[in-house]
Amino acid sequence: MILLSFKSLGGIVGHPLRWPSHWYVSNYEEAWQEGNLLDYLLNTTFVAMISVTVISFLSSMAAYAIARFHFRGNQFIYLMFLAGLALPIQMIAIPLFILMRQLDLLDHLASVTIVYIASGLSFSVFLLVNFIRNIPRELEEAALVDGASYWQIYWHVVLPLIRPSLSTVAILNFIAAWNNFFFPLILLTNPSRMTVAVGVMFFVGQYATQWNLLLPALVIVTLPTMLAFIVVSRQFIRNIMGGAIKL
């Protein structure tokens, strides 16, 4: 994809496997300007960051309550979160569309943000519950003896200890929100509010595709997720392995 992005349209179509004879760096400038990529990147960054922040906060609180407090319905609530892993959210696309229309949220970034948060909670809670259950209870009991409230225990004891697993939750949900194509396609219609996954498809026409612009655009929109994963890759792999052992 990177090599083809530096070719002309004729070179891409005629000789896709040949090394570029001339490097068309201008493809990137043209794709950036014609594709309105800056607006798409800002929209997607806003949606992804809000989603990741809310998912991390809500899932950690829910996981703490499920893992540490025994009350009527505790296991049922946990099973309801697990049930979310078995149900592809695309199956309820029509009810979601009707709901967003009734809430007057169609064609607003809030609609896809809410969907991302709801769809990301199940796996996040499932992952964090298993990490919290492996935290020694003695640490929390010592905090209780010192007069700490449950909120203070959650904030000052539990959160710092599960920070590595929270980074796993964050990167997985960030990539999912960044790459999601389905819900922005059905919930957003204004081109100025599109996310990058849908925005780059404007280079694809009914009868022709601007490959010399589409490929540079794909390279540009892929870079943020690649950089994010490179930054946290070591932590991510270590947490996945640790979670597999604990499960």
Side-chain angles (χ1 to χ4, degrees), residues 174-196:
F174 178 82
I175 293 176
W178 191 274
N179 293 334
N180 192 281
F181 177 83
F182 183 73
F183 284 106
L185 179 65
I186 66 173
L187 297 178
L188 303 175
T189 57
N190 191 331
S192 64
R193 295 175 180 172
M194 288 295 182
T195 58
V196 290

Side-chain angles (χ1 to χ4, degrees), residues 13-242:
V13 176
H15 307 284
L17 301 180
R18 183 178 299 177
W19 191 265
S21 57
H22 179 77
W23 297 80
Y24 289 87
V25 181
S26 59
N27 287 352
Y28 282 84
E29 181 180 358
E30 191 175 352
W32 180 268
Q33 294 175 352
E34 291 192 18
N36 200 23
L37 293 183
L38 179 60
D39 288 343
Y40 299 150
L41 288 170
L42 292 176
N43 292 340
T44 311
T45 301
F46 172 80
V47 169
M49 295 305 296
I50 295 297
S51 301
V52 167
T53 302
V54 176
I55 289 173
S56 300
F57 183 62
L58 294 181
S59 62
S60 61
M61 288 198 301
Y64 176 56
I66 292 172
R68 283 296 190 252
F69 297 96
H70 299 286
F71 53 89
R72 181 177 297 178
N74 175 294
Q75 196 63 22
F76 175 77
I77 294 174
Y78 185 45
L79 290 176
M80 289 296 293
F81 277 110
L82 294 183
L85 295 174
L87 175 66
I89 196 169
Q90 289 81 3
M91 291 181 60
I92 55 173
I94 295 177
L96 276 176
F97 181 87
I98 296 173
L99 176 62
M100 293 303 170
R101 185 179 61 186
Q102 293 173 343
L103 295 174
D104 198 23
L105 290 177
L106 283 181
D107 205 22
H108 289 80
L109 292 177
S111 60
V112 292
T113 305
I114 292 172
V115 172
Y116 292 165
I117 292 171
S119 60
L121 280 175
S122 294
F123 177 77
S124 302
V125 169
F126 169 69
L127 183 67
L128 293 177
V129 163
N130 289 282
F131 275 92
I132 293 175
R133 282 175 174 171
N134 284 274
I135 296 176
R137 287 182 177 270
E138 289 78 8
L139 297 175
E140 299 168 49
E141 293 171 354
L144 280 174
V145 171
D146 289 337
S149 64
Y150 286 113
W151 172 258
Q152 290 173 322
I153 293 173
Y154 161 77
W155 191 259
H156 296 289
V157 178
V158 175
L159 273 187
L161 292 174
I162 64 171
R163 191 175 300 167
S165 57
L166 276 177
S167 67
T168 301
V169 167
I171 190 61
L172 288 175
N173 285 289
F174 178 82
I175 293 176
W178 191 274
N179 293 334
N180 192 281
F181 177 83
F182 183 73
F183 284 106
L185 179 65
I186 66 173
L187 297 178
L188 303 175
T189 57
N190 191 331
S192 64
R193 295 175 180 172
M194 288 295 182
T195 58
V196 290
V198 179
V200 295
M201 297 307 295
F202 286 112
F203 291 120
V204 179
Q206 183 176 0
Y207 301 106
T209 299
Q210 297 174 281
W211 292 106
N212 58 320
L213 300 182
L214 175 61
L215 294 174
L218 291 176
V219 172
I220 292 172
V221 302
T222 302
L223 284 176
T225 54
M226 292 179 62
L227 293 175
F229 186 79
I230 290 172
V231 170
V232 298
S233 60
R234 184 175 302 176
Q235 184 73 53
F236 175 80
I237 295 172
R238 183 165 60 247
N239 290 337
I240 288 295
M241 295 300 295

